[in-house]
Amino acid sequence: MKRFSLPRSLVALTTLLALLIGQETWALAGVTGNIAGMIKDSKGTPIAGVQVQAVAPSGSRTAT
């Protein structure tokens, strides 16, 4: 019968936790960031109804 090995169990638990924490960052990578601003004409007046598109390797988004 094999004896319980505390050091081996701690290494296995630490490895499992590291893998789980690493997985979380992969899921968050595509949803980070923020863009804000205002489109203005040459006089500084905001222009209504302008369509703006942000493009990145993970996808693109369009807003009016």
Side-chain angles (χ1 to χ4, degrees):
M1 177 186 255
K2 290 187 178 184
R3 293 182 51 201
F4 177 74
S5 172
L6 182 61
R8 181 177 275 178
S9 298
L10 289 176
V11 168
L13 180 61
T14 303
T15 303
L16 180 62
L17 287 174
L19 288 172
L20 289 174
I21 290 170
Q23 285 283 34
E24 182 178 332
T25 58
W26 294 342
L28 294 176
V31 294
T32 59
N34 188 25
I35 297 176
M38 188 176 295
I39 307 298
K40 299 179 181 182
D41 64 14
S42 61
K43 298 177 187 176
T45 306
I47 303 173
V50 176
Q51 190 173 35
V52 179
Q53 183 177 26
V55 179
S58 60
S60 66
R61 297 290 186 259
T62 303
T64 302

Coordinates of all heavy atoms in Angstrom, one line a residue:
M1 N 0.8 -1.2 0.0 CA 0.0 0.0 0.0 C 0.9 1.2 0.0 O 1.8 1.3 0.8 CB -0.9 0.0 1.2 CG -1.7 1.2 1.4 SD -2.7 1.2 2.9 CE -4.3 0.8 2.3
K2 N 0.6 2.2 -0.9 CA 1.4 3.4 -0.9 C 0.9 4.4 0.2 O -0.2 4.5 0.5 CB 1.2 4.1 -2.3 CG 1.8 3.4 -3.4 CD 1.7 4.2 -4.7 CE 2.4 3.4 -5.8 NZ 2.4 4.2 -7.1
R3 N 1.9 5.1 0.7 CA 1.7 6.1 1.7 C 1.3 7.5 1.0 O 1.7 7.8 -0.1 CB 2.9 6.3 2.5 CG 3.2 5.1 3.4 CD 4.4 5.3 4.2 NE 4.3 6.6 5.0 CZ 5.3 7.2 5.6 NH1 6.5 6.8 5.4 NH2 5.1 8.3 6.2
F4 N 0.5 8.3 1.8 CA 0.1 9.6 1.3 C 1.4 10.5 1.3 O 2.1 10.6 2.3 CB -0.9 10.1 2.3 CG -1.4 11.5 1.9 CD1 -2.2 11.8 0.9 CD2 -1.0 12.6 2.7 CE1 -2.6 13.1 0.6 CE2 -1.4 13.9 2.4 CZ -2.2 14.1 1.3
S5 N 1.6 11.2 0.2 CA 2.8 12.1 0.1 C 2.3 13.5 0.0 O 1.7 14.0 -1.0 CB 3.5 11.7 -1.2 OG 4.5 12.7 -1.4
L6 N 2.5 14.2 1.1 CA 2.1 15.6 1.2 C 2.8 16.5 0.2 O 2.1 17.3 -0.5 CB 2.3 16.2 2.6 CG 1.8 17.6 2.9 CD1 0.3 17.7 2.6 CD2 2.1 18.0 4.3
P7 N 4.1 16.5 0.0 CA 4.8 17.3 -1.0 C 4.3 17.1 -2.4 O 4.0 18.0 -3.1 CB 6.2 17.0 -0.8 CG 6.4 16.4 0.5 CD 5.1 15.7 0.8
R8 N 4.0 15.8 -2.7 CA 3.6 15.5 -4.1 C 2.1 16.1 -4.3 O 1.8 16.6 -5.3 CB 3.6 14.0 -4.3 CG 3.1 13.6 -5.7 CD 3.2 12.2 -5.9 NE 4.5 11.9 -6.4 CZ 4.9 10.6 -6.6 NH1 4.1 9.6 -6.5 NH2 6.2 10.4 -7.0
S9 N 1.3 16.0 -3.2 CA -0.1 16.5 -3.3 C -0.1 18.0 -3.4 O -0.9 18.6 -4.2 CB -0.9 16.1 -2.1 OG -1.0 14.7 -2.0
L10 N 0.8 18.7 -2.7 CA 0.9 20.1 -2.8 C 1.3 20.6 -4.2 O 0.8 21.6 -4.7 CB 1.8 20.7 -1.7 CG 1.3 20.6 -0.3 CD1 2.4 21.1 0.7 CD2 0.1 21.4 -0.1
V11 N 2.3 19.9 -4.8 CA 2.7 20.2 -6.1 C 1.6 20.1 -7.1 O 1.3 20.9 -8.0 CB 4.0 19.4 -6.5 CG1 4.2 19.5 -8.0 CG2 5.2 19.8 -5.7
A12 N 0.8 19.0 -7.0 CA -0.3 18.7 -7.9 C -1.4 19.8 -7.7 O -1.9 20.3 -8.7 CB -0.9 17.3 -7.6
L13 N -1.7 20.2 -6.5 CA -2.7 21.2 -6.2 C -2.2 22.6 -6.7 O -3.0 23.3 -7.4 CB -3.0 21.3 -4.7 CG -4.0 22.3 -4.3 CD1 -5.4 22.0 -4.9 CD2 -4.1 22.4 -2.8
T14 N -1.0 22.9 -6.5 CA -0.5 24.2 -7.0 C -0.5 24.2 -8.6 O -0.9 25.2 -9.2 CB 1.0 24.4 -6.6 OG1 1.0 24.3 -5.1 CG2 1.6 25.7 -7.0
T15 N -0.1 23.1 -9.2 CA -0.2 23.1 -10.7 C -1.6 23.2 -11.2 O -1.9 24.0 -12.1 CB 0.4 21.7 -11.2 OG1 1.7 21.6 -10.7 CG2 0.4 21.7 -12.7
L16 N -2.6 22.6 -10.5 CA -4.0 22.7 -10.9 C -4.5 24.1 -10.8 O -5.2 24.6 -11.6 CB -4.8 21.7 -10.1 CG -6.3 21.7 -10.4 CD1 -6.6 21.3 -11.8 CD2 -7.0 20.8 -9.4
L17 N -4.2 24.7 -9.7 CA -4.6 26.1 -9.4 C -4.0 27.1 -10.5 O -4.7 28.0 -11.0 CB -4.2 26.6 -8.0 CG -5.1 26.0 -6.9 CD1 -4.5 26.4 -5.5 CD2 -6.5 26.4 -7.0
A18 N -2.7 26.9 -10.8 CA -2.1 27.7 -11.8 C -2.8 27.6 -13.2 O -3.0 28.5 -13.9 CB -0.6 27.3 -11.9
L19 N -3.1 26.3 -13.5 CA -3.8 26.1 -14.8 C -5.2 26.8 -14.8 O -5.6 27.4 -15.8 CB -3.9 24.6 -15.1 CG -2.7 23.9 -15.4 CD1 -2.9 22.4 -15.5 CD2 -2.1 24.4 -16.8
L20 N -5.9 26.7 -13.7 CA -7.2 27.3 -13.6 C -7.2 28.8 -13.7 O -8.0 29.5 -14.4 CB -8.0 26.9 -12.4 CG -8.4 25.4 -12.3 CD1 -9.0 25.1 -11.0 CD2 -9.4 25.1 -13.4
I21 N -6.2 29.4 -13.0 CA -6.0 30.9 -13.0 C -5.6 31.3 -14.4 O -6.1 32.3 -14.9 CB -5.0 31.3 -12.0 CG1 -5.6 31.1 -10.6 CG2 -4.6 32.8 -12.2 CD1 -4.6 31.3 -9.4
G22 N -4.8 30.6 -15.1 CA -4.3 30.9 -16.4 C -5.5 30.8 -17.4 O -5.5 31.7 -18.4
Q23 N -6.4 29.9 -17.3 CA -7.6 29.9 -18.2 C -8.4 31.1 -18.1 O -9.0 31.6 -19.1 CB -8.4 28.6 -17.8 CG -7.9 27.3 -18.2 CD -8.0 27.1 -19.7 OE1 -8.0 28.0 -20.5 NE2 -8.2 25.9 -20.1
E24 N -8.6 31.7 -16.9 CA -9.4 32.9 -16.7 C -8.9 34.1 -17.6 O -9.6 34.8 -18.1 CB -9.4 33.3 -15.3 CG -10.3 34.4 -15.0 CD -10.4 34.8 -13.5 OE1 -10.2 33.9 -12.7 OE2 -10.6 35.9 -13.2
T25 N -7.6 34.2 -17.6 CA -7.0 35.3 -18.4 C -7.2 35.2 -19.9 O -7.4 36.2 -20.6 CB -5.5 35.5 -18.1 OG1 -4.8 34.3 -18.4 CG2 -5.3 35.9 -16.6
W26 N -7.3 33.9 -20.4 CA -7.6 33.7 -21.8 C -9.0 34.2 -22.1 O -9.2 34.8 -23.2 CB -7.5 32.3 -22.2 CG -6.1 31.7 -22.0 CD1 -4.9 32.4 -22.0 CD2 -5.7 30.3 -22.0 NE1 -3.8 31.5 -21.9 CE2 -4.3 30.3 -21.9 CE3 -6.4 29.2 -22.0 CZ2 -3.6 29.1 -21.8 CZ3 -5.8 28.0 -21.9 CH2 -4.4 27.9 -21.8
A27 N -9.9 34.0 -21.3 CA -11.3 34.4 -21.5 C -11.5 35.9 -21.5 O -12.3 36.4 -22.2 CB -12.2 33.7 -20.5
L28 N -10.7 36.6 -20.7 CA -10.8 38.0 -20.6 C -10.1 38.8 -21.7 O -10.4 40.0 -21.9 CB -10.3 38.5 -19.2 CG -11.1 38.0 -18.0 CD1 -10.4 38.4 -16.7 CD2 -12.5 38.5 -18.0
A29 N -9.2 38.2 -22.4 CA -8.4 38.9 -23.3 C -9.2 39.6 -24.4 O -8.8 40.6 -24.9 CB -7.3 37.9 -23.9
G30 N -10.3 39.0 -24.9 CA -11.0 39.6 -25.9 C -12.0 40.7 -25.6 O -12.6 41.3 -26.4
V31 N -12.2 40.9 -24.3 CA -13.2 41.9 -23.9 C -12.7 43.1 -23.1 O -13.4 43.7 -22.4 CB -14.3 41.2 -23.1 CG1 -15.1 40.2 -23.9 CG2 -13.8 40.5 -21.8
T32 N -11.4 43.3 -23.2 CA -10.8 44.5 -22.4 C -10.7 45.7 -23.3 O -10.6 45.6 -24.5 CB -9.4 44.1 -21.9 OG1 -8.6 43.8 -23.0 CG2 -9.5 43.0 -20.9
G33 N -10.7 46.8 -22.7 CA -10.5 48.1 -23.5 C -11.7 48.9 -23.5 O -12.9 48.5 -23.2
N34 N -11.5 50.2 -23.9 CA -12.6 51.2 -24.0 C -12.2 52.3 -24.9 O -11.0 52.7 -24.9 CB -12.9 51.7 -22.5 CG -14.1 52.6 -22.5 OD1 -15.0 52.4 -23.3 ND2 -14.1 53.5 -21.6
I35 N -13.1 52.8 -25.6 CA -12.9 54.0 -26.5 C -14.0 55.0 -26.2 O -15.2 54.6 -26.2 CB -12.9 53.6 -28.0 CG1 -11.8 52.6 -28.3 CG2 -12.8 54.8 -28.9 CD1 -11.8 52.1 -29.7
A36 N -13.6 56.2 -26.1 CA -14.6 57.3 -25.9 C -14.1 58.5 -26.6 O -12.9 58.7 -26.9 CB -14.7 57.6 -24.4
G37 N -15.0 59.4 -27.0 CA -14.7 60.6 -27.7 C -15.9 61.2 -28.4 O -17.0 60.8 -28.3
M38 N -15.6 62.3 -29.2 CA -16.7 63.0 -29.9 C -16.1 63.4 -31.2 O -15.0 63.9 -31.3 CB -17.1 64.2 -29.1 CG -18.3 64.9 -29.6 SD -18.8 66.3 -28.5 CE -19.3 65.4 -27.0
I39 N -16.9 63.3 -32.3 CA -16.5 63.7 -33.6 C -17.0 65.2 -33.8 O -18.2 65.5 -33.6 CB -17.2 62.8 -34.7 CG1 -16.9 61.4 -34.4 CG2 -16.7 63.3 -36.1 CD1 -15.4 61.0 -34.5
K40 N -16.1 66.1 -34.2 CA -16.4 67.5 -34.3 C -16.0 68.0 -35.7 O -15.0 67.4 -36.3 CB -15.7 68.3 -33.2 CG -16.1 67.9 -31.8 CD -15.3 68.8 -30.8 CE -15.7 68.4 -29.4 NZ -15.0 69.2 -28.4
D41 N -16.6 69.0 -36.1 CA -16.2 69.6 -37.4 C -15.1 70.6 -37.2 O -14.6 70.7 -36.0 CB -17.4 70.3 -38.1 CG -18.0 71.5 -37.3 OD1 -17.4 72.0 -36.3 OD2 -19.1 71.9 -37.6
S42 N -14.7 71.3 -38.2 CA -13.5 72.2 -38.1 C -13.8 73.4 -37.1 O -12.8 74.0 -36.6 CB -13.1 72.7 -39.5 OG -14.2 73.5 -40.0
K43 N -15.0 73.7 -36.8 CA -15.4 74.8 -35.9 C -15.5 74.3 -34.5 O -15.7 75.1 -33.6 CB -16.7 75.4 -36.3 CG -16.6 76.1 -37.7 CD -18.0 76.6 -38.1 CE -18.0 77.1 -39.5 NZ -19.3 77.6 -39.9
G44 N -15.4 73.0 -34.3 CA -15.5 72.4 -32.9 C -16.9 72.0 -32.5 O -17.2 71.6 -31.4
T45 N -17.8 72.1 -33.5 CA -19.2 71.7 -33.2 C -19.4 70.2 -33.4 O -18.9 69.6 -34.4 CB -20.2 72.4 -34.2 OG1 -19.9 73.8 -34.2 CG2 -21.6 72.1 -33.9
P46 N -20.0 69.5 -32.4 CA -20.2 68.0 -32.6 C -21.0 67.7 -33.8 O -22.0 68.4 -34.1 CB -20.9 67.6 -31.3 CG -20.6 68.7 -30.3 CD -20.4 70.0 -31.1
I47 N -20.7 66.6 -34.5 CA -21.4 66.2 -35.7 C -22.3 65.0 -35.2 O -21.8 64.0 -34.7 CB -20.5 65.7 -36.8 CG1 -19.6 66.9 -37.2 CG2 -21.3 65.3 -38.0 CD1 -18.5 66.5 -38.1
A48 N -23.6 65.1 -35.5 CA -24.6 64.0 -35.1 C -24.6 63.0 -36.2 O -24.4 63.2 -37.4 CB -26.0 64.6 -34.9
G49 N -24.9 61.7 -35.8 CA -25.1 60.6 -36.7 C -23.9 60.1 -37.4 O -24.0 59.4 -38.4
V50 N -22.7 60.3 -36.9 CA -21.5 59.8 -37.5 C -21.3 58.4 -37.1 O -21.5 58.0 -35.9 CB -20.3 60.7 -37.1 CG1 -19.0 60.1 -37.6 CG2 -20.4 62.1 -37.5
Q51 N -21.0 57.5 -38.1 CA -20.7 56.1 -37.8 C -19.2 55.9 -37.6 O -18.4 56.3 -38.5 CB -21.2 55.2 -38.9 CG -21.2 53.8 -38.5 CD -21.9 52.9 -39.6 OE1 -21.9 53.2 -40.8 NE2 -22.6 51.9 -39.1
V52 N -18.8 55.3 -36.5 CA -17.4 55.1 -36.2 C -17.2 53.6 -36.0 O -18.0 52.9 -35.4 CB -17.0 55.8 -34.9 CG1 -15.5 55.5 -34.5 CG2 -17.3 57.3 -35.0
Q53 N -16.1 53.1 -36.6 CA -15.8 51.6 -36.5 C -14.4 51.5 -35.9 O -13.4 52.1 -36.3 CB -15.8 51.0 -37.9 CG -15.6 49.5 -37.8 CD -15.7 48.9 -39.2 OE1 -15.4 49.5 -40.2 NE2 -16.0 47.6 -39.3
A54 N -14.3 50.6 -34.9 CA -13.0 50.2 -34.2 C -12.7 48.8 -34.7 O -13.6 47.9 -34.6 CB -13.1 50.3 -32.7
V55 N -11.5 48.6 -35.2 CA -11.1 47.3 -35.7 C -9.9 46.8 -35.0 O -8.9 47.5 -34.7 CB -10.8 47.4 -37.2 CG1 -10.3 46.0 -37.8 CG2 -12.0 48.0 -38.0
A56 N -9.9 45.5 -34.6 CA -8.8 44.9 -33.9 C -8.7 43.4 -34.4 O -9.6 42.9 -35.0 CB -9.0 44.9 -32.4
P57 N -7.5 42.8 -34.1 CA -7.4 41.4 -34.6 C -8.5 40.5 -34.0 O -8.9 39.5 -34.6 CB -6.0 41.0 -34.0 CG -5.3 42.2 -33.9 CD -6.3 43.3 -33.6
S58 N -9.0 40.8 -32.8 CA -10.1 39.9 -32.2 C -11.5 40.3 -32.7 O -12.4 39.6 -32.4 CB -10.1 40.1 -30.7 OG -10.3 41.5 -30.4
G59 N -11.7 41.3 -33.5 CA -13.0 41.6 -34.1 C -13.1 43.1 -34.3 O -12.2 43.9 -34.2
S60 N -14.3 43.5 -34.7 CA -14.6 44.9 -35.0 C -15.9 45.3 -34.4 O -16.8 44.5 -34.2 CB -14.5 45.3 -36.4 OG -15.6 44.6 -37.1
R61 N -16.1 46.6 -34.0 CA -17.3 47.1 -33.5 C -17.7 48.4 -34.2 O -16.8 49.2 -34.5 CB -17.2 47.4 -32.0 CG -17.0 46.1 -31.1 CD -18.2 45.2 -31.1 NE -18.0 44.1 -30.2 CZ -17.7 42.9 -30.6 NH1 -17.5 42.6 -31.9 NH2 -17.6 41.9 -29.8
T62 N -18.9 48.7 -34.4 CA -19.4 49.9 -35.0 C -20.4 50.6 -34.1 O -21.2 49.9 -33.5 CB -20.1 49.6 -36.4 OG1 -19.1 48.9 -37.2 CG2 -20.5 50.8 -37.1
A63 N -20.3 51.9 -34.0 CA -21.2 52.7 -33.2 C -21.6 53.9 -34.0 O -20.8 54.4 -34.8 CB -20.6 53.0 -31.9
T64 N -22.8 54.5 -33.7 CA -23.3 55.7 -34.3 C -23.4 56.8 -33.2 O -23.9 56.5 -32.1 CB -24.6 55.5 -34.9 OG1 -24.5 54.5 -35.9 CG2 -25.1 56.8 -35.6

